[in-house]
Amino acid sequence: MQDASLDASHSPDLRWRLEDLDFGPIDCASLRERDDLFLLVCSASFIESGTDTYTRNLVDYFADDAEIGTWLIEHWEPEELQHGRALKAYIHHVWPEFDWDGAYADFFSEYAKLCTAEQLEPTRGQEMVARCIVEMGTTTYYQALNTVCGEPVLRELTWHIRNDEVQHYKHFYHYFLKYREREALGRPKVMAALWRRVAELRQSDADIALRHAAAWYFRGREQPPSFNAVSRQVYALMSAQYPVDLAVRMALKPLLLGGRMQRWAERPLAAVARRVLLN
């Protein structure tokens, strides 16, 4: 297995660089008791560091589309892997005793089983819809994490990542429009792809990453908390600051509802989402 966190790929067009982050001012003592913050950062570092495995599937799926393949390899993958390296570096600085490599190896052995070509959508246009939902999820995750973390260096880092994810969403949306025309992709098929991917957001890679981060972090403690307790703790922390309106707006965009209809749909969906998140 390749350790993606050590990947040396760097795009000359990276919007920011890990090397420019100054970890010196971090108040490590005030953070070391923040189990919830550790788990949020660590689980995100695992998922980002596995991006190269997923990239191969997408590149193969779009093998005859040079525009998409080039962007995936030269921009998307290097930026995602930099996210993983930066989050891992933050973990090492604040929690140096944590065996990130060992925990990541356990995570990856399970996560890799999800990264198969069979998991892709049946058409290219629908796969781009799914990619939009994934990028919506990461954008809103890092925006919420940025709000709850408080620590200035982590806030800078998470905002960098959040902005990268917004740009990724825009690219995947552009490619969706391209294949929507080619495939004459109607709204029912777009809706089906949206629904499938939204349904998977909280029950696949995110849960796997959190479970392995928690298992290794609490290893050796006399009374480690249950995964359900850990999950409830971090979920409650993030849900209170989750940008629901942004999530709904990004999720609905591939339906091409038009301005008035989109605004009409956003309000009730956002209300439902808030009720689910906060109760």
Side-chain angles (χ1 to χ4, degrees):
M1 179 193 71
Q2 177 185 359
D3 183 352
S5 67
L6 300 180
D7 188 286
S9 299
H10 287 282
S11 166
D13 297 325
L14 287 172
R15 283 176 284 271
W16 60 278
R17 292 185 181 277
L18 165 59
E19 295 77 13
D20 295 331
L21 293 176
D22 181 10
F23 289 173
I26 297 174
D27 182 1
C28 296
S30 67
L31 294 174
R32 288 183 58 79
E33 301 305 317
R34 288 288 308 275
D35 295 348
D36 51 1
L37 192 59
F38 168 86
L39 294 169
L40 288 165
V41 175
C42 187
S43 57
S45 75
F46 289 169
I47 296 170
E48 300 280 9
S49 297
T51 300
D52 55 344
T53 301
Y54 208 96
T55 306
R56 300 281 80 77
N57 295 332
L58 289 176
V59 169
D60 289 343
Y61 196 32
F62 293 92
D64 60 349
D65 191 322
E67 177 189 9
I68 293 178
T70 298
W71 179 76
L72 287 169
I73 293 172
E74 295 184 1
H75 297 277
W76 187 62
E77 181 182 55
E79 290 172 3
E80 294 289 306
L81 292 178
Q82 177 172 245
H83 300 168
R85 288 195 303 273
L87 294 167
K88 176 183 178 181
Y90 192 91
I91 292 290
H92 275 175
H93 185 82
V94 180
W95 295 274
E97 73 285 356
F98 181 72
D99 183 2
W100 190 96
D101 293 321
Y104 178 76
D106 272 3
F107 157 77
F108 190 83
S109 66
E110 184 174 353
Y111 171 73
K113 297 173 184 177
L114 300 178
C115 299
T116 65
E118 290 72 27
Q119 301 296 320
L120 300 177
E121 287 290 322
T123 75
R124 291 177 171 185
Q126 287 176 300
E127 180 57 30
M128 286 305 172
V129 173
R131 293 295 94 210
C132 285
I133 294 300
V134 171
E135 298 301 338
M136 175 277 289
T138 53
T139 296
T140 52
Y141 179 91
Y142 287 110
Q143 185 161 321
L145 181 55
N146 176 270
T147 302
V148 304
C149 69
E151 197 283 305
V153 178
L154 185 56
R155 294 203 72 184
E156 178 186 3
L157 172 55
T158 52
W159 199 251
H160 280 319
I161 298 176
R162 180 262 186 202
N163 289 340
D164 282 350
E165 305 295 5
V166 169
Q167 294 304 315
H168 298 168
Y169 176 95
K170 291 179 178 179
H171 275 84
F172 285 124
Y173 180 76
H174 168 73
Y175 299 140
F176 155 70
L177 294 177
K178 171 181 173 179
Y179 277 98
R180 175 181 174 272
E181 290 295 321
R182 290 187 183 183
E183 300 171 359
L185 196 61
R187 196 167 287 157
K189 289 187 177 180
V190 173
M191 179 70 79
L194 284 171
W195 179 256
R196 283 191 292 269
R197 203 60 187 87
V198 167
E200 294 175 1
L201 281 179
R202 290 198 65 234
Q203 53 183 306
S204 55
D205 50 1
D207 275 356
I208 294 171
L210 182 60
R211 181 157 34 82
H212 286 287
W216 280 73
Y217 182 66
F218 294 114
R219 177 175 291 191
R221 297 196 187 183
E222 289 186 7
Q223 294 183 319
S226 69
F227 177 69
N228 285 339
V230 167
S231 182
R232 284 195 301 270
Q233 179 187 13
V234 298
Y235 184 57
L237 176 67
M238 291 286 278
S239 63
Q241 298 297 332
Y242 188 75
V244 174
D245 292 338
L246 177 61
V248 171
R249 190 161 60 249
M250 293 175 77
L252 289 177
K253 190 172 182 179
L255 291 173
L256 302 175
L257 296 175
R260 180 178 296 180
M261 185 173 292
Q262 168 117 359
R263 288 191 295 272
W264 178 85
E266 283 176 10
R267 186 171 298 176
L269 286 174
V272 171
R274 286 192 186 91
R275 191 173 301 115
V276 170
L277 286 169
L278 298 176
N279 291 291

